[in-house]
Amino acid sequence: MLKALIFDVDGTLADTEKDGHRVAFNSAFKAAGLDWQWDEELYGKLLAVTGGKERMNYYLDNFNTTFERPDNLQQMIADLHKSKTGYYTKLLGEGAIPLRAGVKRLISEAREAGLRLAIATTTTPENVTALLENTLGKDSIGWFEVIAAGDIVPAKKPAADIYHWALKEMDLDAADCLAFEDSENGILSSQGAALKTIITVNDYTLDHDFSGAAIVLDNLGEPEHGFKIISGDAGKHCYVNLELLREIHAD
Ligand code: XBP
Ligand code: MG
């Protein structure tokens, strides 16, 4: 029986990367007097690595190799990351990033039906709180039984650890759940934990490899504006509702 839905955050609940995280990283770099600038194209490449601190290290190792590294580089990165989180949560507080199509509707439907909800993300916990509170309301954090986020597990996506952690906390088998992801690193992580996965792509993840996904869609869709199917079968459905999720789960 389908008992729970586990959602990724960045790219899945909301398109947070280009106009959210990227902008916040650049603000933090500027405030620290660094000339680092992550444009949209470079940021697409940097998304190969999940986690903000990990992403900055990846940037220095591969795209800014001449930067003169201080002895305490990891402290500097941790400080930059803290500053970035401040800018990012401020952006969310200003309402800069809405939820993706169908997300709010599906979450309400799931709650009404008594399905259990969880989050599994590499982003910092504060960022999850800020997104949920500013889009679904103050109480919405409490709708999610488990929020698995950030450094709670050392190995971030594509490792399956974050999903394993969430499943263990909920005392659920992967077979009783569905996962929602938007990226290749995301599906590698969810499938690594044996979760059937629904993909909604975004501009940065359109050409990712989603082999093994239960279905790949452009978004969850709304009754008045359905999804486009990229791969898989949605039967008679034109937006993701619980009926379709139960069909996918039983398949
Ligand atoms: C999300 C991420 C995150 C954010 C930055 O990946 O890669 O690292 O871009 O978050 P996913 P922090 O959607 O696969 O979980 O800066 O808070 O680490
Ligand atoms: Mg994601």
Side-chain angles (χ1 to χ4, degrees):
M1 204 173 84
L2 178 61
K3 294 181 184 163
L5 308 181
I6 312 180
F7 292 91
D8 168 49
V9 174
D10 296 302
T12 300
L13 293 184
D15 249 323
T16 50
E17 295 292 4
K18 179 166 69 70
D19 301 324
H21 289 293
R22 186 185 67 87
V23 172
F25 278 114
N26 284 330
S27 299
F29 301 153
K30 197 168 170 208
L34 294 165
D35 64 357
W36 308 356
Q37 256 287 345
W38 291 1
D39 64 25
E40 290 176 20
E41 196 194 336
L42 171 62
Y43 195 67
K45 295 179 187 152
L46 298 176
L47 283 173
V49 170
T50 65
K53 296 187 286 290
E54 292 81 352
R55 189 166 298 144
M56 283 186 262
N57 275 302
Y58 178 66
Y59 165 70
L60 290 178
D61 290 346
N62 297 279
F63 299 91
N64 190 352
T65 50
T66 55
F67 174 70
E68 225 169 283
R69 298 166 179 234
D71 292 339
N72 59 351
L73 179 65
Q74 291 318 313
Q75 185 56 52
M76 175 187 156
I77 287 197
D79 292 343
L80 282 170
H81 191 248
K82 202 164 172 226
S83 160
K84 176 254 167 180
T85 299
Y87 285 110
Y88 180 73
T89 51
K90 187 161 172 281
L91 271 175
L92 292 182
E94 290 160 2
I97 315 274
L99 294 178
R100 294 190 65 187
V103 169
K104 185 173 184 179
R105 174 189 51 75
L106 184 63
I107 287 175
S108 332
E109 228 185 286
R111 291 186 69 225
E112 272 165 35
L115 279 188
R116 295 164 67 184
L117 300 175
I119 297 275
T121 174
T122 46
T123 206
T124 305
E126 279 162 88
N127 299 348
V128 182
T129 308
L131 180 72
L132 294 180
E133 286 190 352
N134 286 293
T135 54
L136 292 172
K138 275 275 169 219
D139 301 335
S140 57
I141 266 282
W143 303 350
F144 296 84
E145 187 178 326
V146 165
I147 299 200
D151 298 325
I152 209 162
V153 292
K156 293 186 176 163
K157 298 175 188 177
D161 303 31
I162 195 80
Y163 278 102
H164 281 139
W165 194 91
L167 289 170
K168 190 159 177 266
E169 284 291 301
M170 295 173 97
D171 196 20
L172 279 173
D173 290 332
D176 297 330
C177 311
L178 289 174
F180 293 78
E181 278 286 355
D182 70 301
S183 70
E184 192 168 337
N185 280 329
I187 194 173
L188 286 170
S189 175
S190 58
Q191 284 188 326
L195 284 153
K196 245 185 205 177
T197 305
I198 289 145
I199 298 288
T200 49
V201 298
N202 57 60
D203 286 350
Y204 276 132
T205 67
L206 272 173
D207 60 356
H208 284 194
D209 180 359
F210 292 118
S211 317
I215 195 163
V216 182
L217 305 166
D218 66 339
N219 59 59
L220 294 175
E222 295 285 16
E224 61 279 8
H225 190 88
F227 51 52
K228 278 200 200 79
I229 300 176
I230 295 164
S231 69
D233 181 7
K236 63 175 191 202
H237 302 280
C238 61
Y239 62 95
V240 177
N241 57 13
L242 284 196
E243 204 186 327
L244 173 57
L245 293 185
R246 292 206 168 98
E247 286 171 22
I248 287 173
H249 180 253
D251 190 23

